[in-house]
Amino acid sequence: MLNPEDIIQALNKAAEINFNCPYRQGNIIRLPASGRVIMTGDLHGNEKNFDKIVNFAALDASKENHLVLHELIHDPSEANPHECHSYSLIYKAAQLLIKYPGQVHYILGNHAMAQITSEEVLKAGKPMVKSLNKGMTSTFGLNYLKVFKAFETFILSLPLVVRTANNIWMSHSLPDTTHFSTLDYNIFDTEISVPMLKASPSVRALLWDRKHSNELVNELAKALHIETFIVGHQPQPEGFSRPFDKMIILASEHNLGTILPIDLSHKYSTDELFNAIIKIARL
């Protein structure tokens, strides 16, 4: 059984590491022009895939090896239909951040946002915020509020974006046609808080939007000086897709899940990146 004091200590320490990451500028992680980064899709509690990805990332081999994670919580496949225990994967991620500071970059996603703003979100018809709260309550009992406070502290420490010197952008999603013209770029420099998450339509757009178009993505690429966007958020039965010229979507949560290894010193076309996608099952 997980020790609540161990989890609280790990989450608070990992939050401190997030804020002090040497590559962090505001809410953006800006990676250097050397080394390697592994971009993932949503994992939603899949610890088996998480372990395979961590092993492949080879963080021990070089301090220039990086790993980008997002959307680890909310696993609707758990046996108990009323409880979710995916907080255990958050704990593993926090431990990884502590072990490899400056190499592991956990970015904010809509499910993590929903959990701390108490905005219910369904996955496979299951109310995930309620289910995770129930799972944490049943596990931690009287320590639930202390654990949840540390969980909230950790989530609020997460950056919004990882971008590279070779013009690749990694985030949970992208603003869509509804919000692009009103996007407030101050979100990349404003301290993230629960009130800010609730009040900012631009943060919500970056984490929740799905109605994109090729024209929009091209405009966003021009505005942000980006060659390729790599995101998650949208379900991918085959593990990946390239819906638009400059946009790749990854999913890492199931048996056909994928990841994308990127050489930070190489100038990529989106075609090259798409062809570099790897199936987790083959790792």
Side-chain angles (χ1 to χ4, degrees):
M1 184 174 177
L2 296 176
N3 184 318
E5 292 304 320
D6 289 342
I7 292 178
I8 291 168
Q9 183 177 1
L11 291 173
N12 286 331
K13 179 63 176 178
E16 180 183 341
I17 289 170
N18 280 335
F19 283 125
N20 293 307
C21 175
Y23 305 111
R24 184 163 184 164
Q25 297 178 20
N27 294 321
I28 299 178
I29 302 293
R30 296 180 182 271
L31 295 180
S34 62
R36 183 182 79 161
V37 62
I38 307 297
M39 177 55 173
T40 64
D42 298 16
L43 272 156
H44 288 301
N46 191 323
E47 296 199 23
K48 181 179 178 181
N49 281 3
F50 176 87
D51 291 341
K52 284 187 173 184
I53 292 167
V54 171
N55 184 62
F56 180 76
L59 299 171
D60 277 325
S62 171
K63 290 188 179 298
E64 289 193 320
N65 288 346
H66 299 266
L67 174 62
V68 178
L69 300 168
H70 57 131
E71 216 67 296
L72 302 190
I73 60 169
H74 293 169
D75 181 3
S77 67
E78 293 190 53
N80 188 328
H82 304 296
E83 295 184 11
C84 174
H85 297 272
S86 56
Y87 54 80
S88 63
L89 190 51
I90 296 288
Y91 178 42
K92 291 181 73 169
Q95 291 175 305
L96 198 67
L97 275 156
I98 294 167
K99 187 175 182 181
Y100 302 103
Q103 292 179 259
V104 181
H105 313 287
Y106 190 155
I107 55 178
L108 188 59
N110 68 304
H111 281 255
M113 172 184 168
Q115 193 66 44
I116 63 172
T117 58
S118 300
E119 179 180 357
E120 191 56 84
V121 57
L122 299 178
K123 189 165 178 61
K126 186 174 180 178
M128 297 311 310
V129 171
K130 181 179 179 180
S131 297
L132 185 59
N133 285 337
K134 182 71 180 295
M136 292 175 72
T137 302
S138 66
T139 300
F140 301 116
L142 295 176
N143 290 304
Y144 162 73
L145 289 178
K146 292 181 180 178
V147 174
F148 186 83
K149 180 62 178 176
F151 179 88
E152 179 183 274
T153 296
F154 176 67
I155 296 302
L156 292 176
S157 77
L158 302 182
L160 296 173
V161 176
V162 174
R163 63 179 297 167
T164 69
N166 51 351
N167 300 325
I168 298 167
W169 173 286
M170 291 166 271
S171 59
H172 185 59
S173 189
L174 292 173
D176 66 15
T177 52
T178 308
H179 301 108
F180 170 64
S181 63
T182 58
L183 181 64
D184 181 3
Y185 291 90
N186 288 322
I187 62 171
F188 300 119
D189 296 306
T190 303
E191 181 179 353
I192 296 174
S193 64
V194 172
M196 182 264 212
L197 291 176
K198 289 181 176 180
S200 173
S202 290
V203 171
R204 184 179 182 87
L206 186 66
L207 304 183
W208 292 79
D209 281 3
R210 297 185 179 192
K211 297 177 181 178
H212 304 101
S213 69
N214 201 54
E215 180 182 10
L216 167 74
V217 173
N218 286 338
E219 285 187 38
L220 197 55
K222 184 177 180 180
L224 294 168
H225 307 290
I226 291 297
E227 178 60 35
T228 304
F229 296 99
I230 309 171
V231 300
H233 185 46
Q234 302 186 52
Q236 302 298 314
E238 299 300 317
F240 63 98
S241 70
R242 183 186 175 183
F244 309 112
D245 292 343
K246 295 180 178 292
M247 182 177 178
I248 293 171
I249 306 176
L250 302 177
S252 302
E253 64 191 275
H254 50 64
N255 292 337
L256 295 178
T258 60
I259 59 172
L260 179 50
I262 301 167
D263 180 345
L264 293 170
S265 65
H266 180 71
K267 183 71 172 178
Y268 288 91
S269 67
T270 307
D271 287 339
E272 286 180 291
L273 285 169
F274 188 68
N275 290 329
I277 293 171
I278 295 175
K279 292 283 187 180
I280 297 170
R282 297 177 182 172
L283 300 181

